[in-house]
């Protein structure tokens, strides 16, 4: 609106004319009545500046003074992060007949972005504006409870089928002639029992795993009455008179293998001593 | 979120047990000297409501300790509680160490409590984080945590992270 000030006489006249014209334009626009000429004149018309360097739109419009920029940045931390930072979760892109064992091959903590099930967990007395506002348990997103519990998504029937099929080629048939427990006992009279322990620790060793138990029957040993009697005296309470079972337990050595060898030695010594 | 919460709430706790449900740990005191006086009136892991409902709580924080096993699960899963199993105190100490280590390493990027699962030889640690725009520092901290914890705890450690877009996503309740 402000016309350039110049102090020469001629331009002073032009200045007055400009001011009057601008005021008239302001008045005419504010009353919202336009003459037919002005209505059409401003549309699709290349506006050429006149001698004073002003275009017609400059003269007619009232230039607003902007104190604050429209797209001012507010530094209150609520700026939205760019959308490309967060990809949509994988569960949304997954097809219904996806090969689950390849998605979840091993035991993992629950990942809500990968598992396509709409699971919820939590006991709710929630308030408005929070996760549990509608009375539903909280969803999987940002839910620690779903993560805490152990999941068995790595052991679906499909998993087991695949793994069994992979192991099958290494398996051999159960030998013939060993169908019943009696047959097994007849061919394999000695029963060796050991325990392995499964636990969470940074060491694999467990001292309880060193215990070895031998179990066999007096009938399986070739003994005459004298040696049988001597054997019974040597064994003491390791011999069960009703069944004839002999149970030898060893835990004196630190390793399982050592205890096993020791028991073999004990068995040999017992036998030869009783004869 | 929880990290900020703990900073504010520490003053009101009578005991210094970490604010996390640990397997095999009882969070009520059964001291004979105090039983008659207080009738087991223990205030661990609970918050006094504010007048304008301004205190934000995550799901973990909003459930009191006696709801562990009912509405809330343990934060640490291991076999030390079973019969004949040793290493209960070592496991517990390791858990506390892991929590402190991660709090110091990740700081305010840590959004939720640490969930520690021990499977055989391995320790799987889970945490919610608030990711920054630049992911390279996060990858570095991840590798750094895993390496150091593995060498300190003498077993493979896997750190699993899930990101949360805003801290407000973890809020369950306002009191």
């Amino acid at each position: 609106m402000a016309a350039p000030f110049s102090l020469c006489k001629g331009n002073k006249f032009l200045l007055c004319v400009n001011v009057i014209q601008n005021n008239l334009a302001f008045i005419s626009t504010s009353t919202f009545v336009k003459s037919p000429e002005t209505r059409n004149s401003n549309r699709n018309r290349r506006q050429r500046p006149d001698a004073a360097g002003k275009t017609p739109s400059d003269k007619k419009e009232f230039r607003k003074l902007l104190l604050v920029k429209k797209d001012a940045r507010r530094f209150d931390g609520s700026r939205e992060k760019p959308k490309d930072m967060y990809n949509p979760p994988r569960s949304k892109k997954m097809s219904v007949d996806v090969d689950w064992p390849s998605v979840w091959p091993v035991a993992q903590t629950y990942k809500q972005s990968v598992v396509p099930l709409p699971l919820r967990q939590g006991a709710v007395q929630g308030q408005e504006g929070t996760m549990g506002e509608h009375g539903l348990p909280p969803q999987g997103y940002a839910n620690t409870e779903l993560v805490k519990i152990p999941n068995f998504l790595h052991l679906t029937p499909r998993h087991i089928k695949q793994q069994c099929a992979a192991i099958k080629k290494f398996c051999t048939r159960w030998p013939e002639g060993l169908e019943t427990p009696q047959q097994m006992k007849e061919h394999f009279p000695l029963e060796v029992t050991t325990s392995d322990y499964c636990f969470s620790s940074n060491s694999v060793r467990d001292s309880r795993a060193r215990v070895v138990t031998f179990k066999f029957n007096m009938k399986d040993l070739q003994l005459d009455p004298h040696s049988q009697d001597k054997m019974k005296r040597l064994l003491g309470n390791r011999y069960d008179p009703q069944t004839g079972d002999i149970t030898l337990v060893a835990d004196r050595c630190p390793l399982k293998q050592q205890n096993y060898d020791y028991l073999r030695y004990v068995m040999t010594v017992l036998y030869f001593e009783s004869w | 979120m929880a990290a900020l919460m703990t900073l504010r709430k520490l003053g009101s706790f009578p005991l210094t047990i970490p604010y996390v449900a640990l397997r095999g740990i009882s969070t009520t005191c059964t001291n004979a000297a105090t039983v008659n006086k207080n009738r087991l009136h223990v205030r661990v892991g609970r918050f006094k409501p504010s007048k304008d409902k301004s205190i934000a709580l995550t799901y973990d924080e909003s459930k009191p300790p006696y709801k562990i096993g009912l509405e809330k699960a343990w934060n640490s899963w291991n076999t030390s509680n079973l019969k004949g199993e040793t290493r209960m105190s070592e496991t517990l100490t390791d858990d506390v160490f892991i929590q402190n280590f991660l709090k110091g390493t990740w700081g305010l990027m840590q959004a939720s409590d640490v969930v520690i699962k021990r499977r055989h030889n391995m320790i799987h640690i889970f945490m919610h984080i608030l990711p920054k725009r630049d992911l390279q520092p996060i990858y570095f901290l991840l590798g750094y945590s895993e390496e150091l914890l593995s060498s300190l705890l003498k077993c493979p450690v896997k750190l699993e992270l899930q990101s949360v877009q805003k801290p407000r996503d973890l809020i369950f309740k306002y009191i």
Side-chain angles (χ1 to χ4, degrees):
Chain A
M1 169 164 171
F5 283 102
S6 53
L7 295 173
C8 8
K9 268 192 179 170
N11 279 346
K12 248 192 184 170
F13 172 71
L14 273 175
L15 180 72
C16 293
V17 165
N18 262 336
V19 168
I20 291 162
Q21 268 187 347
N22 283 337
N23 287 339
L24 283 174
F26 173 68
I27 292 161
S28 66
T29 51
S30 64
T31 52
F32 301 105
V33 172
K34 280 192 179 169
S35 57
E37 299 90 55
T38 51
R39 237 182 276 149
N40 295 321
S41 67
N42 286 338
R43 275 190 219 165
N44 298 326
R45 210 166 133 229
R46 236 175 59 186
Q47 294 172 348
R48 291 196 185 120
D50 63 355
K54 293 268 160 271
T55 57
S57 57
D58 282 339
K59 286 187 219 161
K60 282 172 188 167
E61 280 179 34
F62 179 76
R63 272 173 42 209
K64 294 178 210 164
L65 175 64
L66 295 172
L67 286 166
V68 177
K69 276 193 210 166
K70 240 185 198 176
D71 55 352
R73 283 173 151 204
R74 294 184 295 133
F75 292 101
D76 59 356
S78 66
R79 222 176 347 146
E80 263 191 63
K81 293 200 170 123
K83 281 184 188 154
D84 58 8
M85 190 173 169
Y86 303 108
N87 294 322
R90 188 177 169 183
S91 52
K92 294 222 159 62
K93 297 190 230 171
M94 227 181 262
S95 66
V96 175
D97 56 352
V98 74
D99 182 33
W100 187 247
S102 59
V103 177
W104 202 275
V106 291
Q108 302 171 27
T109 50
Y110 181 81
K111 290 175 184 59
Q112 183 265 339
S113 55
V114 176
V115 179
L117 305 169
L119 294 175
R120 291 170 176 266
Q121 176 145 15
V124 169
Q125 286 164 16
Q127 293 173 357
E128 258 185 67
T130 61
M131 283 199 287
E133 64 171 317
H134 298 295
L136 290 171
Q139 280 184 355
Y141 170 66
N143 192 339
T144 325
E145 292 302 311
L146 272 170
V147 169
K148 286 179 190 175
I149 51 166
N151 68 69
F152 292 96
L153 292 162
H154 60 287
L155 292 175
T156 56
R158 215 170 182 181
H159 276 97
I160 292 167
K161 226 181 193 178
Q162 275 189 9
Q163 286 166 15
C164 286
I167 295 172
K168 204 167 186 181
K169 60 185 177 211
F170 301 111
C171 296
T172 53
R173 284 197 163 279
W174 186 257
E176 287 172 25
L178 284 180
E179 281 79 35
T180 59
Q182 287 78 29
Q183 279 177 326
M184 288 186 230
K185 200 109 175 83
E186 181 198 327
H187 290 280
F188 297 95
L190 175 66
E191 195 180 290
V192 179
T193 308
T194 54
S195 284
D196 287 303
Y197 293 84
C198 195
F199 50 91
S200 57
S201 164
N202 54 7
S203 163
V204 193
R205 315 292 164 204
D206 191 323
S207 58
R208 292 172 294 177
R210 73 185 190 284
V211 176
V212 179
T213 306
F214 271 28
K215 199 168 177 189
F216 53 97
N217 201 301
M218 191 78 99
K219 292 196 295 278
D220 299 318
L221 300 169
Q222 289 172 355
L223 298 164
D224 68 350
H226 164 75
S227 51
Q228 226 179 46
D229 178 56
K230 195 167 177 190
M231 184 80 139
K232 284 176 195 174
R233 283 174 203 276
L234 281 170
L235 287 169
N237 61 350
R238 292 178 194 82
Y239 173 72
D240 184 8
Q242 271 142 27
T243 54
D245 281 332
I246 301 167
T247 313
L248 302 172
V249 180
D251 63 350
R252 57 177 62 195
C253 303
L255 296 181
K256 194 189 296 179
Q257 183 61 38
Q258 293 169 347
N259 282 317
Y260 179 85
D261 292 339
Y262 172 69
L263 279 180
R264 281 186 66 180
Y265 163 75
V266 164
M267 213 165 69
T268 316
V269 164
L270 267 175
Y271 185 70
F272 284 109
E273 267 304 312
S274 55
W275 264 102
Chain B
M1 184 73 228
L4 296 169
M5 290 292 307
T6 44
L7 286 170
R8 257 190 290 166
K9 292 278 163 274
L10 272 173
S12 61
F13 280 128
L15 301 174
T16 52
I17 289 176
Y19 189 45
V20 135
L22 294 168
R23 193 168 175 154
I25 273 277
S26 163
T27 52
T28 58
C29 67
T30 51
N31 192 357
T34 56
V35 152
N36 293 327
K37 271 193 273 181
N38 299 334
R39 297 298 293 164
L40 296 174
H41 180 70
V42 186
R43 302 293 298 183
V44 178
R46 296 202 248 166
F47 302 93
K48 200 170 180 184
S50 65
K51 284 178 187 167
D52 57 351
K53 300 225 169 182
S54 61
I55 299 175
L57 297 179
T58 59
Y59 185 88
D60 266 338
E61 291 163 1
S62 63
K63 302 291 174 192
Y66 56 80
K67 291 284 188 180
I68 293 169
L70 298 171
E71 291 176 6
K72 188 161 117 157
W74 283 269
N75 280 25
S76 166
W77 292 76
N78 49 59
T79 58
S80 64
N81 210 13
L82 301 174
K83 187 190 177 195
E85 295 290 339
T86 55
R87 275 200 114 240
M88 192 172 181
S89 51
E90 286 95 335
T91 309
L92 173 58
T93 317
D94 284 346
D95 283 350
V96 175
F97 171 74
I98 289 169
Q99 282 162 28
N100 283 337
F101 181 90
L102 291 174
K103 190 168 146 189
T105 309
W106 294 85
L108 292 175
M109 267 199 272
Q110 177 186 355
S112 76
D113 283 340
V114 172
V115 178
I116 302 168
K117 290 190 187 181
R118 284 184 168 77
R119 266 183 225 125
H120 300 291
N121 194 21
M122 301 226 318
I123 300 180
H124 295 264
I125 303 173
F126 172 84
M127 210 166 67
H128 279 297
I129 57 161
L130 298 165
K132 307 220 159 156
R133 206 157 169 177
D134 186 17
L135 289 178
Q136 290 302 324
I138 290 177
Y139 291 136
F140 169 75
L141 284 177
L142 177 63
Y144 164 86
S145 310
E146 282 190 1
E147 274 298 319
L148 275 193
L149 283 172
S150 296
S151 59
L152 288 165
L153 301 170
K154 308 281 185 282
C155 56
V157 172
K158 293 255 148 75
L159 191 60
E160 281 153 39
L161 305 174
Q162 276 187 28
S163 66
V164 172
Q165 287 178 11
K166 316 186 282 289
R168 256 176 267 137
D169 287 339
L170 281 165
I171 293 173
F172 175 73
K173 197 173 173 179
Y174 286 96
I175 55 161

